[in-house]
Amino acid sequence: MVQFLAQSNYLREVQRTFGGGHLDVSELLFRTLCVAVPMAVVYVLWRYRLLIFHIVGRWVARLFRRRKRRAVENYLVSRCVVLEVCLYVGGGVGRKLCNARVSSVAGGRMQLELLDANPTVTGLESQPVICFTRPFSYSGKRINAFTTLVAGMRRRGVVLKELSLLTPVRYRFILRRRHIRQRIAREGAVRVKAWSGKKTRTFWMSRPELQTVNNPARYDDRTRLSVENISAGGMRMYVINPKSGMPALERGSQLILRVSIWSPKTRKYSFFTALGVVRSRFSGRGGAIGMGIQFLAEGEMVNGRYTWRTVHGEIPALAQFLASIEE
């Protein structure tokens, strides 16, 4: 007790020495608030900057383009237009979230009817997204996309059950292609071997189910692959003379692809292994089957077996390689 009183008297003497006087609680609280409140305001403005900019932009758009916006929203609802909803990352198209229809637009929100959704484990509230539709025209202008923010979501486990979006600032025409496609002018410049996506663990132990050939003239009516173009995010190719016994090639089917690309600089082939998904299927000349394929994962041999690393939008090594060819 004596020691405590001695310490208390010592602290009081120090306070008097520096002119402190008695401790003013209200002044201390005021000084604290002068620092804490601005910091809290700055944090809130930074944390919700996208939402604030979006709301302000939407309010301005209502003043000048209210009629046009309302007409486009009525079109989306009445025609049951299907949206492809993807994350909007770094100004580009990111991971696809779902396909959905706009069931209603009210109170600044778009309520979506989910048709199919990819698994998601992260919260999406206030996340920027980009939505694509089939191109349509309004007042002589083409429209096929808009960017906005997620207003709300509900999921069960990793399955997305409900999703709503804020109405966008404007509707516009956006080129969907993230990467420039390089057309293959010479047969054999890009060689491809393909297996069914079900063989991710054993494909290298068996012969390819489909492949390109060096001299197509010698193959007559036998089944082969032909590559039309390639980009860092995918490729477009045809199955010439398709027959029974091929792997599944419907939309959504997956293929394992061993791709070799000729480099004019080194005069050698560089190759990579990728897991791709068939995003589009169409007819070609002479009954050929055309496919648009998006790369999902890159394969690497580790300890005698392949491991697959998910890629988001592009294969980085392929992007660098294609860029070096362009230079």
Side-chain angles (χ1 to χ4, degrees):
M1 184 65 180
V2 174
Q3 184 178 2
F4 172 77
L5 292 175
Q7 292 178 351
S8 177
N9 291 333
Y10 173 75
L11 293 175
R12 187 178 296 107
E13 292 298 327
V14 171
Q15 186 179 18
R16 289 175 179 175
T17 301
F18 290 94
H22 295 289
L23 182 63
D24 192 341
V25 177
S26 61
E27 182 181 356
L28 178 62
L29 180 60
F30 176 75
R31 291 181 179 180
T32 303
L33 291 177
C34 287
V35 176
V37 171
M39 290 181 63
V41 171
V42 170
Y43 172 78
V44 171
L45 292 176
W46 177 256
R47 176 68 176 81
Y48 297 100
R49 64 190 184 282
L50 293 179
L51 181 60
I52 294 172
F53 290 152
H54 183 86
I55 292 175
V56 172
R58 191 175 60 179
W59 180 80
V60 174
R62 284 180 179 177
L63 295 178
F64 298 98
R65 295 195 296 266
R66 183 182 185 91
R67 184 177 178 181
K68 177 181 178 180
R69 285 163 44 85
R70 195 60 190 171
V72 174
E73 290 162 1
N74 289 338
Y75 176 89
L76 296 177
V77 176
S78 62
R79 297 296 182 91
C80 298
V81 176
V82 177
L83 304 179
E84 181 182 347
V85 185
C86 304
L87 289 176
Y88 194 52
V89 182
V93 182
R95 180 171 59 88
K96 179 180 177 180
L97 298 177
C98 64
N99 288 330
R101 291 191 182 98
V102 182
S103 59
S104 64
V105 178
R109 286 195 175 199
M110 284 185 172
Q111 192 64 41
L112 303 184
E113 175 190 351
L114 302 184
L115 302 179
D116 61 80
N118 294 328
T120 180
V121 296
T122 58
L124 300 175
E125 288 85 352
S126 300
Q127 290 295 313
V129 294
I130 183 167
C131 302
F132 293 102
T133 72
R134 288 184 178 276
F136 61 95
S137 297
Y138 177 82
S139 297
K141 295 184 179 179
R142 297 185 70 194
I143 296 173
N144 79 329
F146 60 87
T147 57
T148 184
L149 302 178
V150 175
M153 64 167 290
R154 183 178 69 84
R155 70 171 187 263
R156 184 178 300 167
V158 297
V159 180
L160 189 63
K161 292 295 185 180
E162 293 181 5
L163 186 68
S164 61
L165 309 176
L166 296 177
T167 53
V169 175
R170 65 191 181 104
Y171 300 89
R172 50 186 174 164
F173 182 77
I174 300 176
L175 293 176
R176 294 198 56 179
R177 185 72 41 208
R178 179 180 178 182
H179 306 287
I180 298 175
R181 291 177 172 179
Q182 294 199 7
R183 191 172 185 84
I184 309 304
R186 181 174 63 87
E187 191 88 27
V190 176
R191 299 175 178 177
V192 178
K193 296 180 180 179
W195 295 262
S196 169
K198 298 178 181 179
K199 299 181 179 181
T200 52
R201 297 185 179 182
T202 60
F203 74 93
W204 71 93
M205 301 171 61
S206 59
R207 297 182 62 181
E209 298 171 70
L210 292 169
Q211 64 180 2
T212 56
V213 297
N214 295 334
N215 192 347
R218 296 182 179 180
Y219 279 76
D220 301 323
D221 61 345
R222 282 181 284 180
T223 304
R224 62 183 178 87
L225 288 176
S226 176
V227 181
E228 182 178 282
N229 56 53
I230 187 170
S231 72
M235 60 193 310
R236 182 186 180 103
M237 59 185 182
Y238 292 90
V239 181
I240 309 298
N241 301 321
K243 296 179 180 178
S244 59
M246 300 188 305
L249 301 177
E250 291 78 17
R251 290 184 59 184
S253 300
Q254 294 185 353
L255 294 173
I256 301 168
L257 305 170
R258 174 71 62 82
V259 183
S260 301
I261 307 177
W262 175 258
S263 173
K265 293 184 177 180
T266 62
R267 303 187 67 82
K268 295 180 181 179
Y269 279 95
S270 298
F271 73 92
F272 65 93
T273 303
L275 179 65
V277 59
V278 179
R279 290 300 188 193
S280 62
R281 173 173 167 155
F282 45 91
S283 299
R285 294 181 180 178
I289 299 175
M291 297 177 294
I293 296 177
Q294 178 187 1
F295 299 138
L296 297 180
E298 184 178 9
E300 181 181 2
M301 178 71 79
V302 178
N303 298 327
R305 59 182 299 180
Y306 266 86
T307 60
W308 299 93
R309 179 175 57 83
T310 302
V311 296
H312 300 286
E314 68 178 20
I315 295 179
L318 177 58
Q320 295 176 3
F321 178 81
L322 294 177
S324 67
I325 293 178
E326 290 181 351
E327 294 176 353

